[in-house]
Amino acid sequence: MNPLLRAVPLVAAILLASSSPEPAAAIGADHAYAIRSAYAKLTDTFYRTVDARTIADGARAAIANAVRGHGTAGSPPPGEGTASILAAVDAARAHSTLSETALTYAALGGMARAVHDKYTAFLSPHELHDFTAPLTPTHFFGIGVLLAEDEATHDVRASYVPPGTPADGAGVRPGYVFDAIDGVRVRRIGLQRTRAKLLGTRGTVVRVRMLRDGKPIAPFTIARADVHAPTVYEKMLPNKVGYIAVAAFGEPTAQEFGAAIARLQQQRANGYVIDLRFNGGGYVGAAVAIADTFIARGPIVSVSGRTGNQEYDADATAIAPKPIAILVNHYSASASEITAGALQDAGLATLVGDRTYGKGVVQELTYFNDGSALKVTTARYLTPRRRVIDGIGLAPDVAVAENKRARLGEPAADAQLAAALRIIGGKIVSAR
């Protein structure tokens, strides 16, 4: 497989150029550019053929609806395509109190809604930030440890210590309970207050006292640094089964997953449980790269759009085969379904849990100069066996309902993980 294809994102940043001159009406260049770009994207690349008049009608109707209570929409001259939309914005601006930005946003939202696709939408700058934030690691200054709170005592423990972080270098290990921070006891104060005490200015020192198996250990003196929350974390479970949880398919996910697999291989893992529960997706490239870790040859996913089909194939770099179980639930979607579907179709993994969400379409983002964007569905994807996922989802090979008060990742309190471990254990025994 061409390595460049592995980086193709589910959310592809596409900036369309405008070559035609601006209209005589005094619509700002940025707003005219956004309207033209959105119209072109929807008419040319939306994954279903759509009548261009429907898109223009949707924009004009949205403008008329927006100005109600703020004046009138005016009477724009008749026209077609983007010219009619720009004229509608100009007429409404002249006869209402709404700003040109508000009217442009109304037009962009109306165009997106006109195609009647729940995933196609206009995103304001704030909405765009919320949409992309889970896929881009948030950096902060701290010691680099994931926290978990005991529901009964509200004590906070280290649930995962990413390799290479200040906490890892100091010797903090998963399971250690925070007892005091900078001389102040933190038992039973909860996760948020404990986290606040660990954050601070880069380079400053925090002194942490912790408990191991309920007993105090030597205090840690840790310098805060620039760290980010990982999208992947791993641990070794009994019988040397490697557990890898993937929270999102973001920018660093493929690299983090590869590093997690390498660490588990060093510990001689006999099999793997990949946890994709509550993972709503992300970049196609990350999903393909993770599947490529295990699939030696053949297709991983096919993407079918109006301009044709594109197939992503394994690049013959797979690790030695081991038993694999993948945990899924109704919130496993999109890129999660690409990875799970590819490994299921290849006969390499057993899906355990609940039926997945069923989001089998690909979106692309067209960015505008003010930080807003248009999200458009441009294709649908199929599994290697040409299964359609959208609106259907993936059925687990072994259906297991989530238990009440589950603590995900802890076999004793996670029925789905416990079932996966039994399946992997049986395969390990059979392979001997």
Side-chain angles (χ1 to χ4, degrees):
M1 181 181 69
N2 186 332
L4 293 176
L5 296 181
R6 296 176 62 178
V8 175
L10 175 64
V11 179
I14 295 181
L15 191 62
L16 300 179
S18 176
S19 58
S20 55
E22 295 303 324
I27 301 296
D30 285 349
H31 293 147
Y33 161 80
I35 289 172
R36 284 198 173 98
S37 298
Y39 183 86
K41 190 70 179 176
L42 289 165
T43 55
D44 296 340
T45 65
F46 182 64
Y47 80 122
R48 297 192 307 262
T49 301
V50 59
D51 188 341
R53 290 174 298 181
T54 300
I55 296 174
D57 290 346
R60 290 192 296 265
I63 292 170
N65 185 62
V67 300
R68 288 174 185 161
H70 301 275
T72 68
S75 300
E80 296 182 358
T82 55
S84 68
I85 302 172
L86 292 168
V89 171
D90 193 46
R93 186 187 58 173
H95 295 85
S96 77
T97 59
L98 290 180
S99 68
E100 184 178 297
T101 297
L103 293 167
T104 300
Y105 280 13
L108 294 169
M111 283 191 276
R113 290 189 296 274
V115 300
H116 300 291
D117 174 62
K118 64 180 178 180
Y119 301 117
T120 295
F122 168 71
L123 303 175
S124 68
H126 177 73
E127 291 168 332
L128 177 61
H129 175 270
D130 289 346
F131 178 74
T132 58
L135 307 180
T136 305
T138 300
H139 287 256
F140 51 88
F141 300 126
I143 65 173
V145 60
L146 296 187
L147 307 177
E149 180 179 340
D150 185 286
E151 294 182 357
T153 66
H154 300 292
D155 284 343
V156 176
R157 68 184 184 279
S159 65
Y160 179 64
V161 184
T165 59
D168 175 55
V172 176
R173 296 294 176 259
Y176 288 9
V177 173
F178 288 87
D179 185 45
I181 299 174
D182 286 333
V184 178
R185 280 181 61 84
V186 294
R187 300 290 298 278
R188 291 180 278 279
I189 70 169
L191 190 149
Q192 294 302 325
R193 292 173 63 189
T194 301
R195 180 178 184 273
K197 292 180 179 297
L198 292 172
L199 299 178
T201 305
R202 177 169 53 187
T204 58
V205 171
V206 60
R207 294 169 177 81
V208 181
R209 188 171 69 232
M210 307 191 79
L211 307 177
R212 180 176 58 204
D213 298 327
K215 299 178 181 178
I217 56 178
F220 298 100
T221 299
I222 308 172
R224 296 181 176 96
D226 185 4
V227 295
H228 74 269
T231 61
V232 177
Y233 72 92
E234 92 287 344
K235 62 182 176 180
M236 190 65 80
L237 295 177
N239 297 320
K240 285 193 173 294
V241 176
Y243 172 82
I244 310 174
V246 183
F249 288 85
E251 292 177 357
T253 303
Q255 182 177 355
E256 290 178 356
F257 189 89
I261 283 288
R263 288 190 291 269
L264 292 172
Q265 285 181 310
Q266 291 174 354
Q267 300 174 61
R268 300 184 180 277
N270 293 320
Y272 304 100
V273 174
I274 303 172
D275 194 342
L276 300 180
R277 292 173 296 180
F278 298 99
N279 184 328
Y283 295 123
V284 168
V288 170
I290 289 177
D292 195 45
T293 303
F294 305 102
I295 298 175
R297 63 183 61 85
I300 291 175
V301 66
S302 297
V303 179
S304 177
R306 281 172 62 184
T307 58
N309 299 328
Q310 184 176 20
E311 190 170 272
Y312 297 85
D313 297 322
D315 61 7
T317 58
I319 64 174
K322 300 280 186 180
I324 302 170
I326 299 179
L327 296 175
V328 293
N329 64 6
H330 182 63
Y331 301 98
S332 305
S334 192
S336 288
E337 293 170 300
I338 290 177
T339 296
L343 291 172
Q344 187 183 42
D345 277 8
L348 295 174
T350 302
L351 268 57
V352 180
D354 298 310
R355 182 179 289 273
T356 62
Y357 181 81
K359 182 179 182 289
V361 289
V362 178
Q363 281 78 51
E364 293 181 354
L365 281 176
T366 298
Y367 291 105
F368 304 131
N369 294 336
D370 68 346
S372 61
L374 184 73
K375 179 165 64 79
V376 178
T377 298
T378 59
R380 66 175 184 170
Y381 66 77
L382 307 173
T383 71
R385 293 186 178 179
R386 311 295 294 177
R387 288 189 292 163
V388 174
I389 302 301
D390 196 47
I392 300 172
L394 296 170
D397 299 297
V398 179
V400 180
E402 181 180 320
N403 55 296
K404 293 183 179 179
R405 303 179 70 86
R407 295 196 300 274
L408 302 188
E410 299 182 18
D414 185 344
Q416 293 172 329
L417 174 57
L421 290 175
R422 288 193 295 270
I423 293 167
I424 294 294
K427 292 184 177 182
I428 291 172
V429 171
S430 299
R432 288 174 178 168

